[in-house]
Amino acid sequence: MVQAFLAAAAEGRFERLLQVLHPEVKFTVRTPEGQFVTLGATEVATRARVAGSAARGHATTVNGRPGVISCSDEGIPLSLLTFTVADGRIIEITAVVDPAELALMNLPAPV
């Protein structure tokens, strides 16, 4: 599901995004300015370009959840996406783009 979501986001395939997202999906973005929440498959699919750019990152697991981490050329984490999947659909996505929060996380080294 995660790879299908990232591919659809990167390609701008709105209908495919709706297929992999639960109708009541929750998308939380944590930034230096605060936390922002988007609810619902249509709204999340519309904002999926943020996640699509992370498709260039590498797959990881964070607290048992599938994720994607993107790093700078120097290996500094730039963003982290984590996903919760149930019944064949994504029910929750969390994006962390706050450099201070990322620096405090015990993330895997870039490959």
Side-chain angles (χ1 to χ4, degrees):
M1 277 304 111
V2 172
Q3 290 304 325
F5 171 82
L6 293 172
E11 296 166 8
R13 297 180 59 208
F14 188 78
E15 292 300 321
R16 179 65 180 135
L17 285 167
L18 293 177
Q19 292 173 354
V20 299
L21 295 170
H22 186 277
E24 297 175 18
V25 64
K26 178 181 179 182
F27 182 30
T28 304
V29 181
R30 298 190 328 232
T31 75
E33 290 78 32
Q35 180 169 290
F36 303 91
V37 176
T38 302
L39 301 172
T42 302
E43 292 79 9
V44 171
T46 300
R47 290 167 176 73
R49 282 176 267 180
V50 171
S53 65
R56 292 183 293 261
H58 67 274
T60 189
T61 302
V62 178
N63 298 328
R65 295 171 58 192
V68 176
I69 185 169
S70 295
C71 296
S72 69
D73 291 338
E74 295 79 26
I76 299 168
L78 300 173
S79 66
L80 173 68
L81 294 172
T82 57
F83 299 83
T84 302
V85 179
D87 298 324
R89 288 200 165 169
I90 296 170
I91 63 170
E92 186 173 354
I93 306 167
T94 301
V96 179
V97 294
D98 180 351
E101 184 176 353
L102 288 166
L104 295 174
M105 296 176 144
N106 184 19
L107 298 172
V111 291

